[in-house]
Amino acid sequence: MKNAGRREPNVIPGFGITLGFTTFFLCAIVLLPLSALVLKAAGMDFARFMDVITSPRAIASYKLSFGASMVAAGVNMVFGFAIAWSLVRYDFPGRKFVDAIIDMPFALPTAVSGIALTTVFAGNGWIGQYLEPLGIQVAYNWIGITVALTLIGMPFVVRTVQPALAEVQRDLEDAAETLGAGRFYVFRRIIVPTVLPALLTGFTLAFARAVGEYGSVIFIAGNMPMKTEITPLLIVIRLEEFDYAGAAALGCVMLAISFVMLLAINLLQVWGRKRMMVSR
Amino acid sequence: MAGPSNAGEIAAELSTRPGHRSLGASLVRWLVIGVSLVFLGALLAAPLAAVFAMAIEKGWTAYFSSFADPDTRAAIRLTLLTAAIVVPVNTVFGITAAWCIAKFEFRGKSFLITMIDLPLAVSPVVSGLIYVLLFGLNGWFGAWLMENEISIVYALPGIVLATMFVTFPYVARELIPLMQQLGNDEEEAAITLGAGGWFTFFRVTLPKIRWGLVYGIILCNARAMGEFGAVSVVSGNIRGLTTTMPLHIEILYNEYNFVGAFAVASMLSLLAVVTLIIKTLVERSGYRRR
């Protein structure tokens, strides 16, 4: 840290070779293939490109992918906050165990969570059998898609909110309570503002992951065109039809969404850091 | 759990204060914990338990005999082979990138970090698609590869490349912040005293970053063995030849061979559990993610 900004001869060897290797490998594995996608789509006739990405089936898939991801990230914001709150503020039997299994969706292959969720939420499944009589059909439905996307997004929200919640200054809360503030007032005026940037970052991370998700969704989705067909699945279908240009066009839409999400996440993090500085 | 934890102490202290609404507070407390546990139970615990319950539904004999299937064995071998190639390569890359980024100042550094993280933001399907567009029949190198009878897509190289793309950032993003925080002082001292670059790395840097490295490698490995979307696009699903374990699960599941599908799934679930256990142990040893 203390050397930052000061230009002095660096005695550590290997700058040229490590930078060269990193850049080369990055270009070969990531940048060259991604540019192939963009150039493939750019090589298309513009009218045809627009036709593909605005076809009714594509639009229906965007609506589903965005809608379900939005709902899933929203659900995670509520429950993820509750989980993070329980883990940071309360002690209960099995807290450490719960803390450890939060990361399960990161480690569990998506195909496994896909077939497992389908089994549990199908009409005859452990949970599905109680929901079916209530008229709630989860599997092979947009609700099922949302459940799968909620599972894979959950750790993102919990893991970003947890450290932020630990940062909330308890003396501030105590001071407010001593001055006669109610619990809800303290929650609304002290806790929520401190945690908000983390909560929104978690929401965006969960949303970004959910929009592109494929493995855990296709088993539970039912995959009906126009109804339960997510955008990544539509890309796979186009590929199976050997419509490479069509797949590339839709892939470009997904890639553009990824870039927007990355930008949003970076901006949120900058905002969060600034707020943190001000509050100190 | 020796002694009261921090949260417990604070709660105990708070409850002794005047004006503390202990009944309401504990009601809220158990409500929040209860809601959290029900949510995690339905979303995490039930599906995970279902994997094992379905796998042994027809008894242990059926469970074990599903691993005798040659296609299942081929899928397990392919998954292990892919991980055995991808994880070491990405580990070397991660260490190299972290060395370059943490030890030196240069222009475009934050851009480089963003580019390294890029695969995490890309949909798995797109990650597979890009290699099909590059190496597929109509791709940039398709004709040349065809002439020279090299197959990349619908073969092992494609699976390896797609997996490498997806797991590309895992080791690097663990090591970069860790090495940046540790600073250069000890390495500078070693070099100044006449140690060589490799010696410095193995004797000074590596011991300091080992837990971060383990952390990155196990997560990289879990994702490499479990990747579905990207591999599914490049694999062509040739049974017994280009199906990894996750793809084989899909095939068996779609054939209503649930015992077979969940038996393979149970192995991958065990991998996930082991990954989490190692991760927890690494965290216990004092390693904190940055």
Side-chain angles (χ1 to χ4, degrees), chain A residues 10 12-13 15 18 22 25 29 33 39 82-83 86 89 91 101 103-104 116 119 151 170 183 212 239 244 258, chain B residues 5 7 10 20 29 36 43-44 48 89 93 99-100 103-104 121 123-124 131-132 138 140 165 191 233 262 279:
Chain A
N10 195 334
I12 296 175
F15 176 60
T18 52
T22 305
F25 206 60
I29 297 292
L39 286 175
I83 295 167
S86 306
R89 289 294 175 100
D91 200 13
I101 63 160
D103 286 324
M104 197 50 146
T119 307
L151 172 67
R170 300 295 287 258
R183 276 176 180 281
L239 264 181
Y244 291 102
S258 303
Chain B
S5 81
I10 292 167
H20 179 80
R29 172 198 166 98
S36 303
L43 216 55
L44 266 184
L48 200 61
V89 171
F93 167 77
W99 184 272
C100 159
K103 301 276 174 230
F104 306 99
S123 167
Y131 288 101
V132 175
N138 295 315
W140 284 5
F165 179 94
I191 302 275
V233 171
F262 281 97
K279 184 180 153 297

Side-chain angles (χ1 to χ4, degrees), chain B residues 56-275:
Chain B
I56 55 169
E57 201 186 21
K58 302 243 165 75
W60 288 98
T61 332
Y63 176 77
F64 285 114
S65 67
S66 59
F67 293 112
D69 177 43
D71 291 339
T72 302
R73 289 185 168 220
I76 296 172
R77 267 199 304 275
L78 182 60
T79 292
L80 292 176
L81 178 63
T82 306
I85 300 171
V86 168
V87 175
V89 171
N90 276 342
T91 304
V92 170
F93 167 77
I95 294 172
T96 317
W99 184 272
C100 159
I101 286 167
K103 301 276 174 230
F104 306 99
E105 290 303 324
F106 54 94
R107 286 214 300 185
K109 193 179 186 169
S110 53
F111 179 72
L112 191 62
I113 297 176
T114 310
M115 288 298 111
I116 289 173
D117 275 344
L118 191 58
L120 290 178
V122 174
S123 167
V125 168
V126 174
S127 313
L129 170 68
I130 55 181
Y131 288 101
V132 175
L133 293 176
L134 211 52
F135 299 118
L137 259 186
N138 295 315
W140 284 5
F141 304 118
W144 184 84
L145 291 168
M146 182 84 155
E147 266 170 38
N148 292 280
E149 292 181 3
I150 304 169
S151 42
I152 290 186
V153 169
Y154 310 137
L156 177 70
I159 295 172
V160 168
L161 282 171
T163 310
M164 210 175 270
F165 179 94
V166 171
T167 59
F168 190 74
Y170 279 75
V171 177
R173 72 197 313 261
E174 210 60 54
L175 291 184
I176 292 169
L178 175 63
M179 280 167 73
Q180 275 178 332
Q181 200 182 33
L182 288 169
N184 290 354
D185 296 351
E186 288 167 89
E187 281 82 355
E188 276 166 5
I191 302 275
T192 315
L193 293 171
W198 288 111
F199 185 86
T200 308
F201 171 73
F202 280 109
R203 303 301 285 272
V204 178
T205 310
L206 197 56
K208 287 192 294 180
I209 62 167
R210 63 177 192 277
W211 292 125
L213 192 61
V214 170
Y215 203 103
I217 289 174
I218 55 162
L219 289 185
C220 178
N221 179 62
R223 182 78 199 260
M225 289 192 172
E227 179 51 29
F228 179 79
V231 174
S232 149
V233 171
V234 294
S235 117
N237 281 325
I238 309 165
R239 204 179 167 133
L241 271 180
T242 64
T243 51
T244 57
M245 286 166 79
L247 299 182
H248 197 57
I249 291 175
E250 186 194 19
I251 292 178
L252 294 173
Y253 186 83
N254 287 340
E255 287 170 351
Y256 302 102
N257 181 353
F258 292 130
V259 170
F262 281 97
V264 180
S266 73
M267 286 190 80
L268 287 175
S269 304
L270 276 180
L271 169 76
V273 170
V274 170
T275 303

